[in-house]
Amino acid sequence: MKIPDIRYYAGMIFDTNSKKTPKYIITKEAGYYEPMEQIKGRNGLVSMYLMEKLKEGANVPSMRLQAKNSLNFTGLKDYFVDGKLSGFAYGYPLADKVYSSKKIENPFYEYRNDGFLFIVHQDRKAATAAEQIRPTFIELIVLDGAKVLIPSYCKQLMMGGFDEAINQLRKQAKAL
C-alpha cells in the first residue's frame, strides 16, 4: 500500500496545569496545515482536550479531541482495542460546513477528506493507574485525502509502515 502525502505532523504534550479534563498543547510541528491557524488560542498555540464520548452508539469512538470553540477536532477510533489502550488511533475532520447551535464555520470543511493518525504515548511507570492511562504525549499525522482508507493506514502504522517517514518528521519538527 502506497503511503499518501503527509500534510502535517504535530507533537502534543500533556499540559500539567490542566484540571479535570486532560489538555494537550501542540509544542512542535513539521509542515503546514492551514486550518490549525484558525484554532489557535490567545497564546498563539493550539490546545485540545481529550474527552470521553458524549453519547452511546456503535459508531461513536470512546474518546475524542476537542479544540477551540468546542470544535470536535476528531473522534479517536481504535483508541481502545478489546478494552485496552492500543497506543494508536485514527480519525478525520468534521465534514459539516458549520457546527454547534451557534453555526460556527468549520475551519476543516475544505479538508474533510483528510485522515488523521495518532500515536499515543503513556507513562507506564507513573505512580497511579490514572496517570499511567493518561497519555503524556500524542503525535498527530495528517494524511492528504486519506479519509476513506484511514483505518487501513492505521493498521499500516501499527505494523511499522510509517516508521521511516515519522522518524524524518520528528527530526524536522520545530519547537513552537
Side-chain angles (χ1 to χ4, degrees):
M1 182 181 280
K2 181 186 172 291
I3 293 178
D5 289 336
I6 297 173
R7 279 187 186 254
Y8 178 74
Y9 166 88
M12 298 186 281
I13 194 155
F14 173 68
D15 180 358
T16 55
N17 295 322
S18 56
K19 307 289 185 235
K20 185 177 177 187
T21 304
K23 179 179 176 182
Y24 293 83
I25 301 170
I26 293 179
T27 57
K28 61 183 183 174
E29 62 184 1
Y32 180 75
Y33 198 45
E34 195 274 328
M36 299 303 265
E37 294 294 323
Q38 296 179 47
I39 61 171
K40 284 184 177 178
R42 282 180 251 136
N43 62 359
L45 299 174
V46 174
S47 299
M48 296 189 202
Y49 292 92
L50 182 63
M51 304 177 77
E52 292 184 27
K53 64 182 167 183
L54 288 172
K55 58 186 175 191
E56 292 300 317
N59 290 340
V60 179
S62 59
M63 300 298 285
R64 63 190 166 94
L65 285 170
Q66 183 174 301
K68 181 180 173 184
N69 296 326
S70 298
L71 171 66
N72 185 9
F73 180 73
T74 191
L76 296 170
K77 298 176 186 283
D78 287 353
Y79 187 80
F80 291 103
V81 175
D82 298 326
K84 295 184 178 150
L85 287 165
S86 69
F88 301 92
Y90 68 91
Y92 33 81
L94 179 66
D96 300 333
K97 198 167 193 146
V98 295
Y99 68 97
S100 109
S101 60
K102 297 176 184 171
K103 303 288 184 217
I104 301 170
E105 190 173 322
N106 175 10
F108 292 88
Y109 180 72
E110 290 181 36
Y111 299 85
R112 64 190 174 277
N113 292 319
D114 289 347
F116 302 148
L117 293 174
F118 297 90
I119 304 171
V120 182
H121 303 269
Q122 299 158 263
D123 182 0
R124 301 202 188 278
K125 296 177 184 142
T128 67
E131 290 172 335
Q132 289 174 5
I133 291 171
R134 183 190 65 229
T136 54
F137 188 70
I138 301 172
E139 293 178 275
L140 162 67
I141 299 107
V142 179
L143 302 179
D144 184 25
K147 179 179 179 177
V148 174
L149 294 174
I150 201 67
S152 298
Y153 290 130
C154 189
K155 286 182 178 55
Q156 188 176 351
L157 173 68
M158 287 181 195
M159 296 186 313
F162 284 87
D163 287 358
E164 190 176 318
I166 291 170
N167 285 332
Q168 286 294 332
L169 290 166
R170 287 173 179 150
K171 289 176 188 170
Q172 294 170 6
K174 292 182 174 55
L176 301 177

